[in-house]
Amino acid sequence: MTRSEFEHIAPRLRPLMVQVALDFFGSEDDAEDVAQEALLSLWRYCEHIQAERNVEGLAVRVAKNCCVSWQRRQGLSAIVPDESPSDSAPALSHSPHDLLEAKEVQETLHEIIARLKPRERELFEMRQIEGLPPNEIAARTGLQKASVNVIVCCARKKVFSELKKILRR
Amino acid sequence: MKDKDIQQLTDRYLAGETSNEEERRLALALHEIQTSRGELPADWRAVQLMLGELTLGEALYDDIMARRGAASLAQSASAPSVRLTTERQKSSRHRLWRWAAAAVIVLAAGIGVALYQPETSQPKAASALTNKTSEHNQRYIPPRPALQVATTNSINEAGQPHEPMRKNASAKANRRKRKSAQPKITPSGTEMTSPTLEERTEEPLLAAAEAEQQTENVQYPSLSNDDDPYAAVEAEMRDIRSRGERLQRMLDEIINDKTMLANHLN
């Protein structure tokens, strides 16, 4: 997806993201900020996916992820009464070493996925990034649901074995 | 989630058999284990990376929202009990109010009866003992002297016959009593109630003065300051009035107490 294509669909996606954030924070200001951040994150994902894909599901997932990340960064508490923020949204490790390692692992994961066959990669990303269920993938790609499951299984096992090798080093 | 369940979900994930919901549960469980234990086995860590941050973020978002919904449901469930408690308190207050009002009314009635009964029963008791009620009644029967004098004077001055006066039976009876008590004392020697026309025209002022003297001397010979029935009635009225004022004050105090009680209950 090109930048101009993304800018064309962004006004349609933004209200979805604002609504997700508004449900979570209850504040329009926070929701606008989170939606802005979510659009930037979505652009990073959309760089690698085809323009004809329906990215609304992905936009909602990215917005949810941004809500949790925003809440964790802001140190907001009282998500649920009588509950500390660490209970509701457990913090990930934030040390520079961990962040660097996580970034390296993510790059390795992208390289592994990039080495998959095109069909495997397409279905893997549709299933993993966009979060589409197998029957919807089957409807979009014109494949049988069983075939989708087989291709997705094969792609996952390839990525899994490659990742395991890297993690065991 | 137990390790065994996590392993089963991991196997199903790699086989491509998991639903989106199961994948979110798996991502959440792996994240919790990583948070609690510090690190994950290589297999689970690889699956966690494959699931990605989006799945984990979505799982955390849905988990938080679900817990919020449960909390709001719990609050809304507790709200009716609070309302019910308030209703019960209100109804008990209303009941207490009703009882308090009834008690105040009964108290006021009791006080009224207690205050009035001795005063009203005293003459009866006294009359029962001393038989003075007839005296009181007799003292009420004669008209007031001023009225009597005025009527007498007007009759004498106008020179009209006394038939209209005779129509009044009580006045007639009074006159009879006066006559029986005091014989004729007019200068002419005739009865005062039937003077001749000449006498009336020649000495109207004298007749009036005689009549006044007669009423004062005859009609109320025994009415001293102590035995004056009007004075007694006025004293009794004053007494009743003062008792009424006292009762009014007591009622005001009761009403004040009731208001304070109501304010305290509210």
Side-chain angles (χ1 to χ4, degrees), chain A residues 24 79 83 127-128 131 164, chain B residues 18 20 43 64 67-68:
Chain A
F24 191 78
I79 290 173
E83 194 173 63
R127 186 79 181 89
Q128 209 61 50
K164 204 161 63 174
Chain B
T18 49
N20 285 358
D43 291 0
I64 290 166
R67 279 194 275 179
R68 279 186 193 173

Side-chain angles (χ1 to χ4, degrees), chain A residues 20 23-24 45 61 64-65 79 83 87-88 90 92 105 109 127-128 131 149 153 156 160 164 168, chain B residues 13-16 18 20 23 31 43 45-46 49-51 53-55 57-58 61-62 64-65 67-68:
Chain A
V20 169
D23 289 344
F24 191 78
Y45 284 101
R61 294 188 80 195
K64 288 181 176 180
N65 190 58
I79 290 173
E83 194 173 63
D87 293 335
S88 57
L92 297 171
V105 169
L109 179 63
R127 186 79 181 89
Q128 209 61 50
N149 282 340
C153 173
R156 281 177 176 175
F160 177 73
K164 204 161 63 174
R168 281 179 180 172
Chain B
Y13 170 76
L14 292 174
T18 49
N20 285 358
E23 289 175 14
H31 178 72
D43 291 0
R45 174 68 178 147
L49 288 170
M50 289 167 66
L51 286 167
E53 60 178 2
L54 285 182
T55 307
E58 195 176 15
Y61 181 96
D62 291 345
I64 290 166
M65 294 300 279
R67 279 194 275 179
R68 279 186 193 173

Side-chain angles (χ1 to χ4, degrees), chain B residues 2-250:
Chain B
K2 292 178 183 176
D3 290 2
K4 185 182 172 183
D5 300 328
I6 293 173
Q7 187 59 49
Q8 282 179 352
L9 271 179
T10 303
D11 294 340
R12 290 183 61 211
Y13 170 76
L14 292 174
E17 296 171 353
T18 49
S19 63
N20 285 358
E21 174 60 29
E22 287 172 329
E23 289 175 14
R24 283 197 289 270
R25 276 172 47 207
L26 180 60
L28 200 59
L30 290 173
H31 178 72
E32 285 173 358
I33 288 173
Q34 187 187 27
T35 306
S36 61
R37 298 179 189 174
E39 63 178 20
L40 287 171
D43 291 0
W44 289 3
R45 174 68 178 147
V47 170
Q48 188 188 34
L49 288 170
M50 289 167 66
L51 286 167
E53 60 178 2
L54 285 182
T55 307
L56 177 61
E58 195 176 15
L60 287 172
Y61 181 96
D62 291 345
D63 183 55
I64 290 166
M65 294 300 279
R67 279 194 275 179
R68 279 186 193 173
S72 64
L73 273 177
Q75 283 179 353
S76 62
S78 64
S81 65
V82 172
R83 282 200 294 272
L84 190 63
T85 309
T86 312
E87 289 294 327
R88 280 179 187 161
Q89 285 175 349
K90 277 184 183 175
S91 65
S92 67
R93 276 180 194 169
H94 286 163
R95 241 179 287 144
L96 198 61
W97 246 105
R98 270 180 255 139
W99 279 110
V104 165
I105 290 167
V106 168
L107 187 65
I111 289 169
V113 168
L115 284 174
Y116 274 112
Q117 206 166 13
E119 305 301 328
T120 53
S121 62
Q122 191 176 359
K124 289 177 184 175
S127 67
L129 290 172
T130 61
N131 199 17
K132 284 183 179 175
T133 313
S134 58
E135 286 181 14
H136 277 280
N137 293 338
Q138 284 171 359
R139 285 172 189 171
Y140 275 107
I141 290 169
R144 293 185 70 85
L147 182 65
Q148 182 66 32
V149 167
T151 51
T152 312
N153 286 342
S154 65
I155 290 165
N156 289 333
E157 283 169 10
Q160 290 174 352
H162 290 256
E163 278 77 21
M165 292 295 288
R166 286 189 190 114
K167 287 178 184 174
N168 192 340
S170 61
K172 209 190 292 180
N174 289 338
R175 271 195 300 277
R176 278 195 210 109
K177 280 179 190 174
R178 276 181 249 141
K179 283 173 196 168
S180 62
Q182 290 282 329
K184 307 158 191 172
I185 55 166
T186 54
S188 60
T190 55
E191 192 174 340
M192 185 190 166
T193 52
S194 57
T196 60
L197 185 60
E198 294 78 19
E199 284 171 346
R200 275 189 271 125
T201 51
E202 286 173 4
E203 297 176 346
L205 294 174
L206 182 60
E210 284 171 358
E212 191 168 354
Q213 190 182 4
Q214 187 184 11
T215 51
E216 282 190 1
N217 294 335
V218 176
Q219 195 165 357
Y220 306 112
S222 60
L223 291 181
S224 63
N225 288 336
D226 292 334
D227 294 333
D228 185 3
Y230 298 103
V233 168
E234 283 171 4
E236 210 167 315
M237 289 293 287
R238 276 198 301 275
D239 195 14
I240 289 168
R241 222 174 282 130
S242 68
R243 271 187 231 124
E245 287 170 2
R246 255 189 298 153
L247 183 64
Q248 184 63 43
R249 280 198 297 276
M250 290 179 74

